[in-house]
Amino acid sequence: MKIIVVETAGFAETGADGKAAQERIREIIKAHGCRLLGPNCSGVINTHVGNVQSIGLVEEVEKGNIGMTAQAGVYAAGILTGLRHVMNFGIVATIGNKMDISETDILEYLGSDDHIDVVAMYMEDVKSGRRFIDVASEVTKKKPVIALKGGRTAAGTKVVSSHTASLAGNDEINSAAFRQSGIIRARDNEHLFGLLKAFARQPLPRGDGILVITYTGSLGVAATDTLYLNGMRLAELEPELKERLKGILPDYVTSLNPVDYSFSMDAEQLRKTIELGIVSEDVGGLIVVLQGEILGSFVDTLRSIDYKGKPILSCVAVKEFMMEDVILMEKAGFPVYSTVEMAAEILADMYRYSLRKDRQAQA
Amino acid sequence: MKIIVVETAGFAETGADGKAAQERIREIIKAHGCRLLGPNCSGVINTHVGNVQSIGLVEEVEKGNIGMTAQAGVYAAGILTGLRHVMNFGIVATIGNKMDISETDILEYLGSDDHIDVVAMYMEDVKSGRRFIDVASEVTKKKPVIALKGGRTAAGTKVVSSHTASLAGNDEINSAAFRQSGIIRARDNEHLFGLLKAFARQPLPRGDGILVITYTGSLGVAATDTLYLNGMRLAELEPELKERLKGILPDYVTSLNPVDYSFSMDAEQLRKTIELGIVSEDVGGLIVVLQGEILGSFVDTLRSIDYKGKPILSCVAVKEFMMEDVILMEKAGFPVYSTVEMAAEILADMYRYSLRKDRQAQA
């Protein structure tokens, strides 16, 4: 199978002349029996086979388990510059005007590639809706698919058509299609990247009870609120674990979940508290709120713990000012979020996905 | 007036003994006719008078027009470390158990201090609700008040009471009180800081039409969606401005709003496009989506423009990896957001606030 990549713009997205030119390309590839990606795209990266089509950062991108498809090339290339520090991509494919190869084709391929554990889609329209739902329903049984959809309003849809020659469709129909096929919908890029990091690096929660460990009460409150607003809850430690935890904690710590160390948290306390949480039957996952100024002091300890399949997400408030240590944490496999709300919400998304997967495995 | 600051914890938030100790303090200050901040707080910073009570970063904090009150000291101290790079605080006051001085007292003071243009509140409960609404209603006539409220769920409320000895109350009542008094409610810390930066450094939009300038179509779509979802719209340039703009743009740019430079944007193009927007009667404010890798090349140009009272917010995707240039932008007065959705939403918040202020001025 021959595949041609056409990155040049100036086709269907520009009007009648461009549409005619695109049709001529279609006839040519048909006549020669090959497939085409684009036009108006930025090509493909596959880090596992060393393939680069123009999104030209591959020497700096490590092999990874995230697969991504984006309609717009500028989007994919732009974010890779930063994201390669905290996420490892296996495949990044841009589809542009998708005259021949569509988001559904890429999704199907990403679903079948064993290097890929989680799929991200930035999409502005869905072609051949029925097939998209069928393919997505199959892929989400095996791995999570997270989608960010542009063109939610009539005005946004109009903008979509002017830059990739496609119709964004009715957003309620899109939402229904996503729900039906088990796709997790991201609100915006931050949410998309936040979901990706967690699904790519952490196991799924096996229960809805969460242990929250914090150094500031206010973020313990925010974590609690967000967990409950998203159908999760604070875990209740078993009586003997409560006693053991009381023995570890300084006497001014009054709550056992969230455990609030009030500015005195050190790596050893954190390790002991996490290890109690791992032992507890009621703890399905953990959230740790870490102080950015001493973030580096926690990394080795966090890495040394056996989490026995329980996920741990961390929050570092205003993390953008401590990126050196945040990148250390991320490279050690611990997703770091700027808000504890995001960490709590994403744990809930992961838990819902695991429930759906279980139901499907039983069906 | 003598004011005592008690930072020590171990009072009403810890149980019966602590409550009794707090009551003894209350009697002592009553007998001596002085006021008390705390206990269980982290004191006050006032950069305009060089006053520091323990949130000990004052030599690194510049004088600024943001006033902030936080129940929890750890919260205020923790975030200051990072935020001082992009925000200038005038006053930061923590109230802790607020035995005597409450959030309402601080709010009233911040409302009257001419150094303060915008007020931020992190709160976990509201004491004396009626007086709070009265004071807040007066302050919001003069300056925006932005609040982040912890304890939205029953579970969150319970956590609140264990760390600052207060009851968080019914969240629907809180929401109603905020709406009634014109307080802008933040969803989380990111949203709070995002609102603060915009209100502290940019003028209010005087119309709902927004000009979006971008280097990637996908973020133009997202900006458009978010504007319309928040009651704003894309501005429609006057015919003669459209013609002038067409003369400036490369021929592959097909939409006049969002103006999408598809990766070729330079500072001079940006300046010319912004200046057209400033001239247009229909443009109430601007959003510029800038490429992080070349962000530094835009700063001087952006600073040289006369915006004639129109606000401009910028989006730099994955900005956390370009903080050096982001801080340059912020110090030049241009708020930078990681997502264009946040920029668009905040412009809408600012416009709604300006409408409310106008209505009140006419009443």
Side-chain angles (χ1 to χ4, degrees), chain A residues 72 74-75 77-79 81-83 85-86 122 124 150-153 155-156 159-160 162-163 187-190 193 215-221 224-226 228-229 234 254-255 258 260 263 293 317-321 323 327 338-339 341, chain B residues 72 74-75 77-79 81-83 85-86 122 124 150-153 155-156 159-160 162-163 187-190 193 215-221 224-226 228-229 234 254-255 258 260 263 293 317-321 323 327 338-339 341:
Chain A
V74 176
Y75 170 91
I79 59 171
T81 313
L83 290 185
H85 297 294
V86 297
Y122 170 74
E124 297 184 342
R152 289 177 287 165
T153 61
V159 177
V160 163
S162 79
H163 85 104
R187 274 189 305 280
D188 57 23
N189 278 316
E190 289 275 303
F193 305 148
Y215 73 95
T216 165
S218 61
L219 298 186
V221 173
T224 304
D225 279 336
T226 312
Y228 281 81
L229 289 169
L234 293 171
T254 49
S255 159
D260 174 8
F263 240 144
E293 301 91 312
V318 296
K319 71 167 176 145
E320 66 226 67
F321 302 102
M323 285 309 289
I327 290 172
S338 245
T339 67
E341 287 90 342
Chain B
V74 176
Y75 170 91
I79 58 170
T81 312
L83 290 184
H85 297 293
V86 296
Y122 171 74
E124 297 184 342
R152 289 177 286 166
T153 61
V159 177
V160 163
S162 79
H163 87 104
R187 274 188 306 280
D188 57 25
N189 278 317
E190 290 274 304
F193 305 148
Y215 71 96
T216 166
S218 61
L219 298 185
V221 174
T224 304
D225 279 336
T226 312
Y228 282 80
L229 289 169
L234 293 171
T254 50
S255 159
D260 174 9
F263 240 146
E293 300 91 312
V318 296
K319 70 167 177 150
E320 65 225 68
F321 302 102
M323 286 308 289
I327 289 171
S338 244
T339 67
E341 287 91 342

Side-chain angles (χ1 to χ4, degrees), chain A residues 177-188:
Chain A
F178 288 174
R179 263 197 309 278
Q180 192 185 330
S181 49
I183 291 177
I184 299 159
R185 187 165 190 175
R187 274 189 305 280
D188 57 23

